[in-house]
Amino acid sequence: DVKVTQSSRYLVKRTGEKVFLECVQDMDHENMFWYRQDPGLGLRLIYFSYDVKMKEKGDIPEGYSVSREKKERFSLILESASTNQTSMYLCASSGTNYGYTFGSGTRLTVV
Amino acid sequence: GNSVTQMEGPVTLSEEAFLTINCTYTATGYPSLFWYVQYPGEGLQLLLKATKADDKGSNKGFEATYRKETTSFHLEKGSVQVSDSAVYFCALHGGSYIPTFGRGTSLIVHP
């Protein structure tokens, strides 16, 4: 069964910490994405990547960066975590048929 | 630009009731249309899709028909179960590999 795996389901971090969220897919997909999901706001695109070492800003990139050194792995980095980054983070990948495969999500709490 | 509008929730039904969740879209060209489902604490899963006008996508008793004349892709199920309680997202891909998502509609099914 094809999978997108996010490294943590729940994470609690302190304000100012550098936070790494990891995502790995086993489908050889070119495209990978990071979203955050907040009540009433739906899914908002943070960053995406269409190839190794390539990255593009989404709608809300401020306070985040990404890394894609290998095709199967796409990391989201919170440079200095703040309380307004408390959210559910969803990673997804897609191939050429458009449909997305999502990971189970990481619920991040910044205290 | 592209947009997707879903009916606001929550939609509350009794078990075995008929379900409709409305979705309309605005897009240039000929997008593919999708429904995703998110169960509590999980990421999104692809439920069904339709790639051209008049196509009907179906899965797990859910159906949606791509109506180009009304720019709609309403989700229906004839008899809902408690296990269908989830958040449902309508989405379109309009020639780019980045989809446009609706804000999601919460479905609550009571026994």
Side-chain angles (χ1 to χ4, degrees):
Chain A
D1 201 11
V2 293
K3 272 190 178 176
V4 174
T5 303
Q6 294 184 230
S7 53
S8 305
R9 292 296 300 272
Y10 300 94
L11 215 49
V12 180
K13 296 292 182 180
R14 296 193 180 277
T15 301
E17 276 193 76
K18 191 168 186 175
V19 181
F20 293 84
L21 303 183
E22 305 288 345
C23 175
V24 177
Q25 52 101 357
D26 65 1
M27 296 164 284
D28 203 35
H29 282 168
E30 291 80 18
N31 309 313
M32 297 188 75
F33 307 80
W34 276 105
Y35 288 87
R36 63 177 283 177
Q37 183 180 19
D38 301 289
L41 297 177
L43 276 71
R44 292 183 291 168
L45 182 63
I46 305 171
Y47 267 97
F48 63 98
S49 168
Y50 52 87
D51 202 352
V52 176
K53 297 194 185 293
M54 304 300 288
K55 60 184 179 183
E56 295 286 343
K57 293 180 180 179
D59 300 318
I60 52 163
E62 296 77 20
Y64 303 93
S65 62
V66 290
S67 171
R68 191 161 182 206
E69 296 296 318
K70 293 185 178 181
K71 191 175 186 179
E72 66 269 20
R73 186 180 296 270
F74 191 38
S75 303
L76 179 69
I77 303 156
L78 285 67
E79 299 290 344
S80 177
S82 64
T83 54
N84 63 12
Q85 293 178 309
T86 291
S87 187
M88 171 74 115
Y89 290 87
L90 295 170
C91 176
S93 72
S94 74
T96 55
N97 67 349
Y98 290 151
Y100 269 24
T101 302
F102 281 84
S104 297
T106 297
R107 187 165 293 283
L108 172 68
T109 302
V110 182
V111 298
Chain B
N2 297 338
S3 67
V4 174
T5 303
Q6 293 181 233
M7 59 189 294
E8 290 199 21
V11 173
T12 305
L13 295 171
S14 297
E15 206 164 24
E16 299 183 2
F18 184 85
L19 167 71
T20 300
I21 299 178
N22 290 338
C23 171
T24 57
Y25 68 90
T26 303
T28 55
Y30 304 96
S32 294
L33 301 175
F34 299 80
W35 277 100
Y36 289 86
V37 58
Q38 184 180 32
Y39 298 104
E42 299 291 326
L44 279 69
Q45 302 173 25
L46 179 63
L47 180 60
L48 53 85
K49 68 178 181 181
T51 56
K52 61 182 188 296
D54 300 323
D55 268 3
K56 178 186 282 187
S58 62
N59 187 24
K60 299 182 180 178
F62 291 90
E63 294 181 340
T65 301
Y66 188 161
R67 303 282 188 202
K68 189 165 179 286
E69 64 276 12
T70 55
T71 61
S72 65
F73 193 54
H74 305 322
L75 182 68
E76 297 181 336
K77 187 175 185 183
S79 175
V80 293
Q81 306 300 311
V82 172
S83 57
D84 293 326
S85 298
V87 181
Y88 292 82
F89 291 87
C90 185
L92 70 83
H93 291 254
S96 157
Y97 47 76
I98 304 171
T100 300
F101 286 93
R103 290 203 168 188
T105 302
S106 175
L107 170 65
I108 301 168
V109 181
H110 294 293

